[in-house]
Amino acid sequence: MRTSKTREILRYVMDYAISISIFILIWSLYVNISGVPQFVLPKPTVVFKEFIGLFTTGMIWPHLGMTVFEVVIGFGIGVIGGIALGYLVAKIEVVKTALMPFIIFIQTAPKIALVPLFVVWFGIGLPSKIVLIVSMVIFPIMSGIILGIDSIPADARNLMRILKANKLQVFMHLEIKYSLPMLFSGLKIGIVQAVIGAIVAEWMSGKIGLGYILTYGNATYDTPLLMAGIIVTIILGIVSYESIELIGRKLLKWHVSQNIE
Amino acid sequence: MNDFCLQTKGLNKVYHSVLKGDTVALKDINLDINKREFISIIGPSGCGKSTLLRILGCLDKPTSGEIIYQDGKEQEMGFVFQDSVLLPWKNVRENAGFPLVIKKDKTKESWDKLDDLLELSGLSDFKNSLPKELSGGMKQRVSIVRALSYDAPMLLMDEPFGALDAITRDHLNLELLKIWEMTKKTIIFVTHSIEEAVFLSDRVIVMSARPGQIKEIVEIDLERVRKESVRDTDKFQEYTKYLRGIIG
Ligand SMILES: Nc1ncnc2c1ncn2[C@@H]1O[C@H](COP(=O)(O)OP(=O)(O)O)[C@@H](O)[C@H]1O
Ligand SMILES: [Mg+2]
């Protein structure tokens, strides 16, 4: 059991490593043969050195820290807000009828187009960034909760009534647990959105954050810096996504979508 | 004779629907159910069996008429649904003991009794299994133990074995009788199998559809304790033949 699992992980990593190596090989061949200038496409080695440099000089930390901070705060508020709002919509018909048109409108509107408006309303500091992130996180979480609560079998609710369970017990023992699989699908979409939101918000305003590094690299034609920054962003995205995935897998062992160990 | 468990007087149930018009699901249902009786309700699908059971279990309200419970409206009841509705994140023992958690019953006595019931139902070796690892018959066993766990005097069952194969069904019928004889509960059992109704019951309530009414109540005078062999007797065959005749 154990060895087959280790082998599986190893193969997974190997597949990744091979496809990335091939990609880098083609990239470096192309740069060498075509001789494109560095500000258009630098060599992989140059980007790699820049990437390492970001960490060894310590230059990246305040920016990375700021972006992580925004993601954590924005994601946190978005999750709590999404759960609360989703629960109200799922449970109270009036709220659903009243809010649904707005929810659909705001959900389909490209949030990024709203950034200038957020800047006008909330200034160029942290608040407008957090507002953008929250607006991008809240809807996937909300739909997750609504779908989850709708997925509860009618007879499971009847069981709670036969047992004379109170509202809190129904919430704790039935609604939360049944919503978890859908909620985690929402969380996974939400965390990706949160990282995108943070980067975009930093593009628009301010002088700190990974998004700022990208605009700075762009404005100064420092393409190695730009690409190294993109790699840090991608890694941040993957790490945060995988953390949610890992927590989800721990909590949802019972779910039919998870293989029995 | 105040040994009744519940009485219904002129129960009616109408479902209103804008699209399909009104459905009279139940019409003038008058029932007297005795304590410790095993009653089956049988009839064609759509005749209102589930509706009646849900109303008896206070999961739905009649449009008119009343129900009198010997022990009052708040009396405890167990309900076994057609789908076992086990909570997928709880293992067998946690599912079976779920009512005790809801009722905040932490006494060792109740939990020991639960383990006895699990033992009796052949679930001892599966206490830590999750629902997704169980067969349909096993799941329904767990859901029956769950309904028994808090020792409600009345047990309502809605086609609990309807989705199971014939062999498993016969097996569970025997187990259910054993439990009933041990615990002496009142059981109201909905089924669409005539053999099952005859094998289990003291009385069989035959319903007809549109509107859902009681057509006849048939007393099953077969020996108690019933064994598998009772199915082969002439009397058993007569009852099934008779019931098949009325249901048509
Ligand atoms: N919630 C409901 N709304 C409208 N009609 C219903 C509802 N539940 C049951 N019915 C109708 O009532 C009748 C009896 O249904 P039911 O009690 O489920 O029958 P059975 O369990 O005997 O198959 C059927 O015609 C069904 O369509
Ligand atoms: Mg039914």
Side-chain angles (χ1 to χ4, degrees):
Chain A
M1 201 109 219
R2 174 124 229 119
T3 55
S4 81
K5 205 172 169 189
T6 326
R7 200 178 300 161
E8 203 169 291
I9 292 170
L10 210 66
R11 232 192 65 194
Y12 190 70
V13 172
M14 283 292 282
D15 286 351
Y16 256 86
I18 290 170
S19 78
I20 290 174
S21 313
I22 292 174
F23 174 75
I24 291 175
L25 190 71
I26 294 172
W27 171 7
S28 115
L29 279 176
Y30 175 77
V31 173
N32 280 318
I33 292 167
S34 70
V36 287
Q38 172 154 316
F39 74 87
V40 176
L41 186 64
K43 285 185 197 160
T45 46
V46 175
V47 174
F48 185 68
K49 263 189 212 135
E50 183 72 37
F51 176 78
I52 298 297
L54 282 178
F55 288 91
T56 48
T57 61
M59 176 270 212
I60 194 75
W61 295 119
H63 297 285
L64 182 58
M66 189 44 140
T67 304
V68 169
F69 177 72
E70 288 163 8
V71 167
V72 168
I73 300 290
F75 185 69
I77 297 175
V79 168
I80 293 168
I83 291 176
L85 209 57
Y87 190 73
L88 288 180
V89 169
K91 292 292 281 192
I92 307 171
E93 201 61 32
V94 188
V95 179
K96 194 175 196 162
T97 342
L99 288 186
M100 243 0 190
F102 296 102
I103 288 170
I104 291 169
F105 172 73
I106 301 174
Q107 192 165 16
T108 44
K111 257 73 73 184
I112 290 165
L114 300 178
V115 175
L117 204 55
F118 290 159
V119 172
V120 172
W121 288 344
F122 305 104
I124 57 165
L126 196 59
S128 69
K129 296 188 171 105
I130 299 295
V131 169
L132 175 68
I133 298 172
V134 170
S135 77
M136 291 178 78
V137 170
I138 203 163
F139 295 106
I141 306 296
M142 210 179 84
S143 352
I145 285 287
I146 294 174
L147 286 174
I149 288 186
D150 282 350
S151 77
I152 299 175
D155 278 342
R157 288 193 183 280
N158 285 333
L159 172 69
M160 297 308 269
R161 282 170 62 190
I162 278 287
L163 298 178
K164 302 179 173 49
N166 60 37
K167 283 209 170 75
L168 182 65
Q169 288 176 321
V170 173
F171 181 67
M172 298 299 287
H173 290 284
L174 204 65
E175 291 171 337
I176 289 189
K177 295 284 179 54
Y178 258 111
S179 308
L180 274 185
M182 293 293 182
L183 177 63
F184 266 91
S185 317
L187 287 175
K188 280 191 263 181
I189 300 170
I191 193 71
V192 173
Q193 294 285 317
V195 175
I196 295 173
I199 301 294
V200 170
E202 290 161 355
W203 272 351
M204 300 284 179
S205 61
K207 291 220 173 306
I208 190 164
L210 292 178
Y212 174 70
I213 292 202
L214 301 188
T215 39
Y216 180 82
N218 193 17
T220 57
Y221 293 96
D222 190 347
T223 311
L225 175 67
L226 176 57
M227 294 186 71
I230 291 173
I231 295 174
V232 178
T233 312
I234 292 173
I235 292 175
L236 175 64
I238 293 175
V239 167
S240 43
Y241 180 88
E242 288 296 332
S243 323
I244 301 282
E245 169 85 21
L246 197 75
I247 297 170
R249 206 173 295 175
K250 280 244 141 61
L251 285 179
L252 296 175
K253 276 218 173 89
W254 50 270
H255 197 248
V256 276
S257 71
Q258 307 286 320
N259 292 326
I260 302 163
E261 293 224 3
Chain B
M1 141 125 182
N2 65 350
D3 214 21
F4 78 98
C5 167
L6 68 83
Q7 264 180 347
T8 72
K9 289 187 181 156
L11 282 189
N12 290 294
K13 177 73 183 180
V14 183
Y15 287 111
H16 300 286
S17 156
V18 183
L19 286 178
K20 293 188 287 178
D22 293 351
T23 310
V24 182
L26 294 177
K27 193 176 171 209
D28 195 29
I29 303 288
N30 296 293
L31 274 178
D32 271 285
I33 294 174
N34 299 321
K35 278 215 164 116
R36 295 178 288 281
E37 195 173 17
F38 200 124
I39 291 253
S40 286
I41 303 174
I42 196 167
S45 117
C47 72
K49 305 181 295 289
S50 295
T51 305
L52 176 57
L53 203 66
R54 288 163 46 80
I55 290 175
L56 295 181
C58 301
L59 292 174
D60 209 340
K61 282 205 179 83
T63 312
S64 62
E66 65 169 333
I67 311 174
I68 302 156
Y69 300 91
Q70 157 93 11
D71 301 329
K73 214 173 162 55
E74 283 300 304
Q75 79 158 94
E76 296 282 6
M77 291 181 235
F79 205 116
V80 178
F81 303 91
Q82 173 150 19
D83 289 320
S84 48
V85 285
L86 301 181
L87 303 178
W89 53 89
K90 289 187 186 294
N91 67 25
V92 165
R93 188 167 186 269
E94 290 163 343
N95 262 296
F98 182 57
L100 299 179
V101 174
I102 292 295
K103 293 176 183 306
K104 303 193 175 79
D105 181 349
K106 293 194 183 104
T107 58
K108 188 174 180 303
E109 199 191 338
S110 302
W111 287 89
D112 282 350
K113 232 167 101 190
L114 182 76
D115 287 327
D116 292 345
L117 281 169
L118 287 170
E119 172 94 54
L120 187 76
S121 321
L123 290 164
S124 291
D125 294 341
F126 300 91
K127 276 183 190 169
N128 298 316
S129 305
L130 286 172
K132 66 178 179 181
E133 301 165 275
L134 302 179
S135 68
M138 294 278 234
K139 281 189 209 170
Q140 210 49 290
R141 281 193 177 100
V142 179
S143 112
I144 292 172
V145 173
R146 177 177 64 192
L148 294 167
S149 66
Y150 50 110
D151 209 15
M154 213 175 127
L155 194 57
L156 308 175
M157 307 176 87
D158 192 357
E159 302 196 28
F161 308 138
L164 305 179
D165 62 90
I167 295 173
T168 313
R169 175 189 278 237
D170 288 353
H171 202 83
L172 287 180
N173 279 342
L174 264 180
E175 278 179 27
L176 181 60
L177 277 189
K178 223 187 288 169
I179 288 171
W180 173 71
E181 264 138 25
M182 257 178 46
T183 56
K184 283 296 163 198
K185 291 183 190 307
T186 311
I187 298 186
I188 306 176
F189 187 97
V190 169
T191 176
H192 57 238
S193 155
I194 292 171
E195 279 75 19
E196 189 171 61
V198 174
F199 183 69
L200 294 172
S201 316
D202 295 318
R203 284 191 294 162
V204 177
I205 297 171
V206 182
M207 288 182 68
S208 64
R210 267 169 279 276
Q213 274 174 310
I214 295 180
K215 200 169 189 181
E216 195 171 324
I217 297 179
V218 179
E219 199 136 338
I220 307 292
D221 187 18
L222 292 169
E223 56 164 357
R224 292 282 185 193
V225 174
R226 280 179 205 168
K227 298 190 196 74
E228 200 57 30
S229 55
V230 81
R231 292 178 194 273
D232 304 323
T233 61
D234 290 341
K235 226 168 159 189
F236 187 91
Q237 306 287 344
E238 265 168 45
Y239 278 123
T240 55
K241 205 166 141 194
Y242 178 71
L243 282 169
R244 203 158 276 128
I246 334 178
I247 295 167

